[in-house]
Amino acid sequence: MQTKIRPITPESLAEAKNLIFNGGVVAIPTETVYGLGGNAFDDHAVKRIFEVKGRPNDNPLIAHIHTDYDLSKIVDYDPPCAKQLREAFLPGPLTLVYPSTNKVSPFVSCGLNTLAVRVPSHEGAQAFLREVDIPIVAPSANISKHVSPTSAKHVYDDFQGKIPLILDGGECVGGIESTVCDVTGDVPVILRPGLITKEMIAEVVGACEEYTPDFSSGEKVKSPGVLYKHYSPRCQTRLYSSESVEFAISAYLREREKGEKVAVLCEEKRMPDFEKLGARCLNLGKTEEEMATRLYALLREAETCCNVLIAVEPTAKGGVMTGVLNRLRKACASVDIPHKKV
Ligand code: AMP
Ligand code: MG
């Protein structure tokens, strides 16, 4: 199969619609990362998404809708706090998990009685969602566990020959996936941190909690995606905390001495420590937004320029950095186990 990359035009949108209504998958841009889109009502299309990504079949998908889509078509109940959050943050990088049964393909939520719904703000995503006028499930358009894509080229690198069409909406500005927030209980609970932070949600609805699964208790995990090693570049990775840069420097020198091709991923202010050793540095930038935007592109660059990546956590914590650190830690996890809360 030939994989076409097309700018978003009336013609490419019509082609995308045709593919979607014939059970196909199409990659679409959003303001966070690119998604692999399929018809949420179509069992075959949803199964195809799991198959083409190699996604574990217990990791549910998010349904994407345009700003005027009637939410009551896909959820059972719309809690008052959800309305407040939609008014404050949508369209935007926030996914809300609603009570929902039998409204879309049962494969979307992998047997859970909830549905995660997102309204992206990206103009191209909105144009596509309006064109099809149905909910589109769209997990990140990367092979499962690989780094999420923030450009059409990243999607092409993972799915060349496997999907027919990539709608090119430029580079994603958000850079990390949406915040996933469960609104089925009394207090909203963040299942996956992102650009809409716990603090921002609490300011709107009065309170917000962060979910940390207790793996030792045998409890059923609320958001199975948190279980997996994820976002990982195809090179060895070693992650150091911001307080232990001297260990990162020793590791860098040790790997170089062994003859490995080494690169360093760190925030801008750390770079002189490594550059004076002649190291190749991948610059995460200065602000938390910059770090979110650049993280995935740099992890993909790492796999082209080194076989060992020494990563140093940025000093700032909390806010958007909770999401950035969550992704960086999972990207550098050596085994397929969950990481502790940031
Ligand atoms: P991705 O689409 O690859 O960005 O991943 C979607 C994330 O949303 C994963 O972490 C899923 O576990 C989570 N998710 C999707 N649907 C639900 C749901 N119904 N309940 C809880 N988490 C969900
Ligand atoms: Mg993903």
Side-chain angles (χ1 to χ4, degrees):
M1 177 189 297
Q2 194 206 343
T3 302
K4 287 182 276 185
I5 303 182
R6 288 274 178 91
I8 298 170
T9 61
E11 292 74 35
S12 66
L13 288 173
E15 187 180 350
K17 179 178 182 178
N18 186 36
L19 286 163
I20 291 288
F21 280 95
N22 281 296
V25 297
V26 172
I28 57 165
T30 80
E31 70 278 18
T32 57
V33 301
Y34 275 71
L36 202 57
N39 180 351
F41 295 125
D42 180 343
D43 292 351
H44 169 80
V46 178
K47 284 202 255 183
R48 172 85 187 121
I49 287 177
F50 279 93
E51 187 187 286
V52 78
K53 269 181 68 78
R55 186 176 177 101
N57 63 7
D58 62 350
N59 189 8
L61 306 179
I62 296 171
H64 294 64
I65 54 173
H66 64 73
T67 43
D68 297 320
Y69 190 82
D70 179 3
L71 189 65
S72 70
K73 286 186 185 165
I74 51 172
V75 309
D76 294 339
Y77 173 62
D78 183 13
C81 74
K83 184 163 187 281
Q84 287 174 287
L85 292 173
R86 286 201 302 275
E87 277 165 10
F89 302 117
L90 299 191
L94 174 67
T95 294
L96 298 175
V97 176
Y98 296 88
S100 172
T101 37
N102 305 325
K103 298 276 200 295
V104 294
S105 162
F107 298 104
V108 171
S109 290
C110 308
L112 300 169
N113 54 5
T114 53
L115 177 66
V117 183
R118 169 158 139 70
V119 186
S121 62
H122 189 287
E123 258 181 46
Q126 279 293 322
F128 165 75
L129 291 166
R130 276 180 195 285
E131 180 83 20
V132 293
D133 200 25
I134 51 169
I136 293 289
V137 282
S140 51
N142 53 282
I143 300 287
S144 192
K145 298 186 186 172
H146 191 212
V147 184
S148 299
T150 54
S151 71
K153 161 88 169 53
H154 294 162
V155 181
Y156 188 80
D157 289 345
D158 277 17
F159 292 112
Q160 179 185 4
K162 295 189 183 133
I163 61 171
L165 179 64
I166 300 168
L167 291 177
D168 187 350
E171 284 180 24
C172 305
V173 286
I176 58 171
E177 297 84 346
S178 63
T179 304
V180 177
C181 182
D182 183 336
V183 289
T184 60
D186 295 336
V187 175
V189 181
I190 291 187
L191 304 179
R192 175 176 72 185
L195 295 170
I196 306 295
T197 64
K198 181 182 172 187
E199 296 78 9
M200 288 160 76
I201 292 176
E203 205 177 307
V204 172
V205 293
C208 178
E209 288 168 6
E210 253 168 317
Y211 174 65
T212 353
D214 179 0
F215 298 100
S216 56
S217 71
E219 164 201 9
K220 192 166 178 346
V221 174
K222 275 196 176 180
S223 192
V226 299
L227 276 170
Y228 306 107
K229 172 177 159 73
H230 219 130
Y231 324 114
S232 307
R234 292 173 180 142
C235 58
Q236 288 183 53
T237 49
R238 316 237 190 290
L239 179 64
Y240 293 86
S241 75
S242 52
E243 293 80 40
S244 50
V245 185
E246 65 280 14
F247 294 114
I249 292 173
S250 320
Y252 169 78
L253 293 171
R254 209 169 42 241
E255 295 296 341
R256 195 171 70 178
E257 215 139 275
K258 281 199 279 177
E260 299 289 0
K261 217 166 152 195
V262 202
V264 177
L265 175 77
C266 62
E267 61 190 316
E268 193 162 313
K269 68 178 182 200
R270 279 283 180 231
M271 282 171 53
D273 290 341
F274 292 93
E275 279 176 337
K276 68 181 180 214
L277 304 170
R280 160 126 198 204
C281 287
L282 302 170
N283 181 5
L284 271 170
K286 293 197 201 81
T287 65
E288 47 184 36
E289 285 78 17
E290 219 167 39
M291 297 195 212
T293 308
R294 293 183 186 185
L295 178 67
Y296 288 143
L298 292 176
L299 288 172
R300 281 188 181 245
E301 193 180 330
E303 56 190 24
T304 67
C305 74
C306 69
N307 48 19
V308 180
L309 179 69
I310 305 287
V312 184
E313 289 183 358
T315 9
K317 307 277 185 286
V320 170
M321 291 313 290
T322 306
V324 173
L325 285 173
N326 165 280
R327 307 308 193 278
L328 182 60
R329 289 175 184 177
K330 286 182 149 215
C332 296
S334 53
V335 281
D336 196 2
I337 53 161
H339 270 261
K340 289 207 191 89
K341 200 170 114 179
V342 175

